[in-house]
Structures are given as structure tokens and as C-alpha cells.
Amino acid sequence: MSVRSLCLAILSFGDATGYEIRKESTDGRFSYFEDASFGSIYPALARLESEGLVTVREEPQAGKPARKVYSITEAGRAEFISSLCEPQAPDTFKSPFLLIALNAAQLPPEVVRRALERRRAQVQEELRLLTDTHKDTACPHPGSGWTRDYGIACMNFTLTYLEEHGEALIKIAEDAASPHTAAAE
Amino acid sequence: MSVRSLCLAILSFGDATGYEIRKESTDGRFSYFEDASFGSIYPALARLESEGLVTVREEPQAGKPARKVYSITEAGRAEFISSLCEPQAPDTFKSPFLLIALNAAQLPPEVVRRALERRRAQVQEELRLLTDTHKDTACPHPGSGWTRDYGIACMNFTLTYLEEHGEALIKIAEDAASPHTAAAE
DNA sequence: GGACACATGTAATCGGTTACATGATTAC
DNA sequence: GTAATCATGTAACCGATTACATGTGTCC
């Protein structure tokens, strides 16, 4: 998914500035689709405007550059919906954590322990974000409820699994670090 | 994670050619870390060799270009291990499927149904790959057992969730498509 | 006869990141 | 005082993809 489609997707949920789009793609709900930086968002937005898929309205502010609030047009919405109907790309999961886990026996136990803790914290943070969302949004799209529940279920499962099996992974690292102790056990 | 690190990671598990590295990164076990194409792998391998992190040995074959089998050196292994000790990047999950789910109410029910089916098939295929792996590899790294079990657990959970809640998502699309029928129910 | 797996490599291109440029306001 | 948030935009750079170039063996 390109930054272009990302902008369209976010704007289909409501007006936003380039700044806000970046925030949503990095932290917010849309982090599950693509994250992008300013350097790609601003040019994408300008191009979308020249193509008539979005419109801009400037809101001057004292001291700051004027906010440029973008809205999706009918043409933009149509392109977005039709892009969703095309054959979807497969979901991907990239895990630096699993690479550490895979090599647990070659690493110092503290590194493995830290990796586990980082991953746990990350999952918990995502869970927090997901459960927070449901308060403020009064069900704008019915799909967002389903999606949120799906996310919460997966994150909860992961968290439990990590808590239940994390020690086993640390033990792999410890046993490899001092095989004698392991043999004595 | 760069293609460079990916090559080192794969070679730390055993010798391989550029062709094999690509296969493992696209389909195989290493698809959880990064996938890369020939255009990036061959130059990366050449550079790693010039830096002394890997060695090559050519195996001539009749009719085909000679296989260039790469092996990791001690220096390469050291760099790989030390890269794992550095603060890890967060795990990421990118889901074209969830974008469709999020917009279920705006889409034709068949599109949603197809998306669900595609995702289900994808998870099942990953599961098959994971369960197959455990036969042929006679526990080379202890970490690979843990990683595999983790993957199987997550995939199984996802599969069950999709089977149990898929219909609800399709219903969202159907109700939005024909609100009268929904009201009559 | 055509598609696909094997096998390596280069060049053009492109999408995106990083760094730069600018600057007020608010919180610690 | 210093960091973070708000706010936009450009230019240099870079990593990676795509397409191209070449060629055999095997399966359908």
C-alpha cells in the first residue's frame, strides 16, 4: 500500500491535515496499514489535490503556518473503494523479536529477557490504544468495531502466550550459556 | 532490517546461494524478518564478501551458471550476534485484510467474503509451512522450536477467530448494502 | 509448445526516508 | 533552558524493486 492510498483511506474517515495523517499512520489506528513520514505525505497530498481526489481549505493560525485541512471528494472516495475491491496483498508480520528468539541459544540471557520485555510492553501499549479508541468514537463505521475486537483478541492472546512461555525462552539462553549447570539440573 | 542483515541471518543457519536466500526470505521461515528480491540480494552478498563477512565457493554445473555457495565467517557471525544485541525495532503487522474489514459497510458483501477467505487461506498456508518445518529439521537451534510453537499458536488462534467471527463481518456488509432487509429481521 | 524451477547478474527507476529550513507555544 | 507539540514544505540521498539479459532441464 502506497502513501497515496493511505491518505485516501484516512481522509475517507474524515478531514485531516498532513500533520494529522502522519500521526495516525505512525501511532494511531492506521498503523496497521502503512506508516509514512512528512517527506512522503505532503507531496502525495499535493498530487491528490491536483488530480481532484481531495480538496484543501486553509485555516490561518497566529504564529504557526496555516493548517491545510484536506477533504476527500466523491472521485477520491470512488477510487479508494475500488482499490479495496482489487485482489488484496497478503498480510505481513515482521518481527525483530522473533529473530532474537530464534537465536536465543547464541545470545546472553539478559538480551533475551530484555527482548521479551520489550515485546510485552509493545503489545500492552497497542492493547491500551485499542481499548481507548472505543470510548471516544461513537461507532462511525460499523467495521471499526469488528476490527477493534479482532485486534484486542489477537493482542490478548499474544500477551498471554508471552507470559506463559517467556521463561522457557530465557531458559534456552541460560542453558546454552552455561551447559554444565543445565546438565546438573 | 536490511537485506544485508537478512543474508547474515540466513547464512548463520547454514551455507546458501543467493537464489536460496531469496526463496527463504519470500516463502520460508525467514519471511518473518524481511523479504528481498534478487536485485538487492546479489549486490549485498558481493559487498559482504568484500568486507570479509562471508566467503564464496563456486560449484560449476553443466548448462546452468555456476552455483555460488556462500558461508558466513567468524567476523560475519560476530557482527550478526552483536546486531541482535542492539535495541530491537518494534514488530510490525501490516494488514490489507483489516483495511477491507474496517470498510466492510462500504463494500459489496462478496468482496468482504472473498477477503475473509483469502486471509483464511493465507493463515492456513503459513500454518502448514510451520508444521512441515518441524519434520525435516532435527532441532539445529533450540530457539527454532520455541519460535515455531509461537507461530503455530498465533496462527491457530487467528484461524479460529476468523472462523468464529467471519460471518459477523459479512453481515455488516450485507446490512449496509440492503438496510431494509436488516430492519425487517 | 509453453510454463516453471534453477541460477546469476546489471541498469533504470522509483518510492520513501532523512535532514534541512522556519518558528510559536506550552510543559517540565 | 530544553524538550515536545504543532505545522508545512523541499532537496539530497538511498535502498530496494522491476525489467532486462542469458540459458538449460523438466513437467504438463
Side-chain angles (χ1 to χ4, degrees):
Chain A
M1 196 204 215
S2 59
V3 172
R4 178 193 162 85
S5 320
L6 174 77
C7 292
L8 245 26
I10 291 179
L11 291 174
S12 84
F13 275 76
D15 295 357
T17 65
Y19 190 87
E20 287 162 352
I21 288 176
R22 189 200 140 250
K23 250 186 66 186
E24 290 237 57
S25 80
T26 313
D27 325 316
R29 296 168 296 173
F30 290 89
S31 61
Y32 295 105
F33 312 126
E34 180 86 18
D35 40 18
S37 60
F38 293 127
S40 54
I41 289 171
Y42 288 123
L45 247 17
R47 214 190 119 196
L48 284 169
E49 204 228 325
S50 78
E51 292 174 294
L53 302 179
V54 304
T55 55
V56 216
R57 116 186 73 99
E58 267 186 62
E59 290 180 359
Q61 303 180 118
K64 295 176 204 170
R67 275 164 59 90
K68 293 178 86 170
V69 183
Y70 290 86
S71 307
I72 197 165
T73 63
E74 270 317 302
R77 188 159 255 126
E79 171 155 328
F80 173 57
I81 294 296
S82 98
S83 79
L84 291 182
C85 295
E86 273 162 43
Q88 70 198 267
D91 289 19
T92 57
F93 176 59
K94 300 292 163 187
S95 178
F97 161 67
L98 281 180
L99 187 59
I100 292 174
L102 191 61
N103 293 279
Q106 276 72 51
L107 293 166
E110 330 109 66
V111 171
V112 177
R113 194 175 284 118
R114 200 190 56 193
L116 223 26
E117 177 47 35
R118 287 254 172 98
R119 179 62 188 141
R120 208 193 49 73
Q122 196 203 333
V123 174
Q124 211 147 49
E125 172 57 23
E126 267 175 61
L127 211 41
R128 198 193 55 70
L129 208 89
L130 244 26
T131 42
D132 277 10
T133 310
H134 104 119
K135 290 176 205 156
D136 46 87
T137 57
C139 205
H141 285 232
S144 84
W146 193 93
T147 310
R148 195 186 53 239
D149 291 345
Y150 175 92
I152 290 173
C154 288
M155 292 296 108
N156 265 137
F157 179 83
T158 303
L159 204 56
T160 306
Y161 195 96
L162 249 28
E163 271 156 16
E164 279 172 13
H165 299 87
E167 280 305 320
L169 188 65
I170 294 171
K171 188 143 193 312
I172 289 173
E174 282 171 349
D175 289 358
S178 50
H180 303 299
T181 318
E185 255 180 78
Chain B
M1 196 205 214
S2 60
V3 172
R4 179 193 162 85
S5 320
L6 174 77
C7 291
L8 246 25
I10 291 178
L11 291 174
S12 85
F13 276 76
D15 295 357
T17 64
Y19 190 87
E20 287 162 352
I21 288 175
R22 189 202 141 248
K23 250 186 66 185
E24 289 237 57
S25 78
T26 313
D27 325 315
R29 295 169 294 174
F30 290 89
S31 62
Y32 295 106
F33 312 127
E34 179 89 16
D35 42 16
S37 60
F38 293 127
S40 54
I41 289 172
Y42 288 124
L45 247 17
R47 212 189 120 196
L48 284 169
E49 205 228 324
S50 78
E51 291 174 295
L53 302 179
V54 303
T55 55
V56 216
R57 114 187 77 97
E58 266 188 62
E59 292 181 357
Q61 304 180 115
K64 293 177 206 171
R67 275 164 60 90
K68 294 178 85 170
V69 183
Y70 290 87
S71 307
I72 197 166
T73 63
E74 271 316 303
R77 188 158 255 124
E79 171 156 327
F80 173 57
I81 293 296
S82 98
S83 79
L84 291 182
C85 295
E86 272 163 44
Q88 69 199 267
D91 289 20
T92 56
F93 176 58
K94 299 292 161 188
S95 178
F97 161 66
L98 280 180
L99 187 59
I100 292 175
L102 192 59
N103 293 280
Q106 276 71 51
L107 293 167
E110 330 110 65
V111 171
V112 177
R113 193 175 284 120
R114 201 190 55 194
L116 222 28
E117 177 47 35
R118 287 255 171 96
R119 179 62 188 142
R120 207 194 50 72
Q122 197 203 333
V123 173
Q124 211 148 50
E125 172 57 23
E126 266 175 62
L127 209 42
R128 199 192 56 69
L129 209 90
L130 245 25
T131 43
D132 278 10
T133 310
H134 106 119
K135 290 177 204 157
D136 46 85
T137 56
C139 204
H141 285 234
S144 83
W146 193 93
T147 310
R148 194 185 54 239
D149 291 344
Y150 175 91
I152 290 172
C154 287
M155 291 296 108
N156 267 137
F157 179 82
T158 303
L159 204 55
T160 306
Y161 194 95
L162 248 28
E163 271 156 16
E164 279 172 12
H165 298 88
E167 281 306 319
L169 188 64
I170 294 172
K171 189 142 191 314
I172 288 173
E174 283 171 349
D175 288 358
S178 50
H180 303 297
T181 318
E185 255 180 77

